[in-house]
Amino acid sequence: MLTKEELPYCPVATTVDLIGNKWKLLILRELLAGTKRFSELKRAVDGISQKVLTENLRALERDGIVDRVVYPVIPPKVEYSLSELGDSLRPIITAMQAWGTNYILNKEELKAESAPE
Amino acid sequence: MLTKEELPYCPVATTVDLIGNKWKLLILRELLAGTKRFSELKRAVDGISQKVLTENLRALERDGIVDRVVYPVIPPKVEYSLSELGDSLRPIITAMQAWGTNYILNKEELKAESAPE
DNA sequence: CTGAATCCATACCGATACTG
DNA sequence: CAGTATCGGTATGGATTCAG
């Protein structure tokens, strides 16, 4: 967890430091839909390797955004979910989802205009 | 009804592809406040190098998010601003700003509790 | 002032092998 | 299944130089 002294003073920069990379944003998208096992996340986040997924989950856990629960069974079962802090990021992902949806829609409209039927 | 997995492309992934990196998000933060010259951006975005700033501005320009206006004067003067599309990203940055502000505030409150005067 | 073009270090990431 | 460790290629980014 970062201490206050290590944090940049700009709120946007603070947020960017914690979740401002491709993989973390996509992992958050998945966990906002609910608790997921490691293998589920691996399947859901397209193109991510096991190593990178692990690294990002560790970072999110360290920063108090993700909770990790290990079930002592065989074979191992580990569940990841958002902490309260993590869930509070929802508006950011929601805004990105809304923008992306619009972007794709407008793109298709333009395509339909320039090449009707 | 289509599930997220069945869609050709995820809206969040689309957004992430266009602006999902540290520098672009910080550049957007600056340009949302208004038109800026290259040197102003360089100064405002802490730690960015000229090369990386140029590369990211070119990418944002290519994607229709940023407008670039060159004034044919000596010394050169180039102004960057958000296009309409770029400005439509405002809710995302605003959400990040709000979250970051809260995060910092809560952090300071915790600190004050654990070490009261 | 803006920016293109180098060179070069290192950060990142995929693949693989191995463990409990 | 979940995770660590290692290796090596690639991408990223910083510093510098040159130019319009």
Side-chain angles (χ1 to χ4, degrees):
Chain A
M1 186 91 159
L2 295 174
T3 70
K4 185 200 165 213
E5 284 71 24
E6 294 167 326
L7 287 171
Y9 44 86
C10 167
V12 178
T14 299
T15 307
V16 164
D17 265 10
L18 291 173
I19 61 160
N21 82 60
K22 175 181 174 177
W23 298 125
K24 285 183 185 174
L25 290 167
L26 296 177
I27 292 170
L28 284 176
R29 177 198 66 193
E30 292 306 316
L31 292 183
L32 280 168
T35 297
K36 285 207 163 52
R37 296 184 60 168
F38 184 87
S39 51
E40 291 179 304
L41 283 173
K42 172 101 172 56
R43 241 176 295 115
V45 179
D46 192 57
I48 198 168
S49 69
Q50 190 234 44
K51 179 188 174 186
V52 172
L53 176 55
T54 300
E55 286 170 351
N56 279 281
L57 284 171
R58 289 291 172 282
L60 290 169
E61 195 189 349
R62 243 193 343 269
D63 292 332
I65 291 167
V66 160
D67 289 331
R68 177 171 176 263
V69 177
V70 180
Y71 295 88
V73 296
I74 303 232
K77 175 176 170 182
V78 181
E79 285 188 343
Y80 293 92
S81 60
L82 292 180
S83 65
E84 194 182 332
L85 178 66
D87 196 71
S88 72
L89 289 161
R90 189 180 297 274
I92 297 174
I93 307 295
T94 299
M96 296 182 73
Q97 192 146 36
W99 189 90
T101 301
N102 243 299
Y103 180 84
I104 294 168
L105 279 176
N106 289 338
K107 201 131 226 180
E108 279 168 6
E109 279 172 23
L110 286 176
K111 205 178 165 187
E113 280 171 25
S114 63
E117 25 270 77
Chain B
M1 171 172 169
L2 290 177
T3 69
K4 181 174 29 183
E5 284 75 28
E6 290 167 331
L7 286 171
Y9 213 56
C10 164
V12 177
T14 300
T15 307
V16 164
D17 270 3
L18 291 174
I19 60 160
N21 82 59
K22 174 181 173 176
W23 298 123
K24 285 182 184 174
L25 289 167
L26 296 179
I27 292 169
L28 285 176
R29 177 198 64 192
E30 292 306 316
L31 292 183
L32 280 169
T35 297
K36 285 206 163 51
R37 295 184 61 167
F38 184 86
S39 50
E40 290 179 305
L41 283 173
K42 173 100 170 55
R43 240 175 296 115
V45 180
D46 192 58
I48 198 168
S49 70
Q50 186 239 50
K51 180 190 175 185
V52 172
L53 177 55
T54 300
E55 285 170 352
N56 279 282
L57 284 171
R58 290 290 172 283
L60 290 169
E61 195 189 347
R62 235 191 355 266
D63 292 332
I65 292 167
V66 159
D67 289 331
R68 177 170 175 264
V69 177
V70 180
Y71 295 87
V73 295
I74 305 240
K77 174 178 171 181
V78 180
E79 284 188 344
Y80 292 90
S81 59
L82 292 179
S83 66
E84 195 181 333
L85 179 64
D87 196 70
S88 72
L89 289 162
R90 187 181 297 273
I92 298 175
I93 307 296
T94 299
M96 296 183 74
Q97 192 145 38
W99 189 88
T101 300
N102 244 299
Y103 181 82
I104 294 168
L105 277 177
N106 289 336
K107 200 127 228 181
E108 281 170 3
E109 278 170 23
L110 286 176
K111 203 181 168 188
E113 279 170 25
S114 63
E117 351 233 312

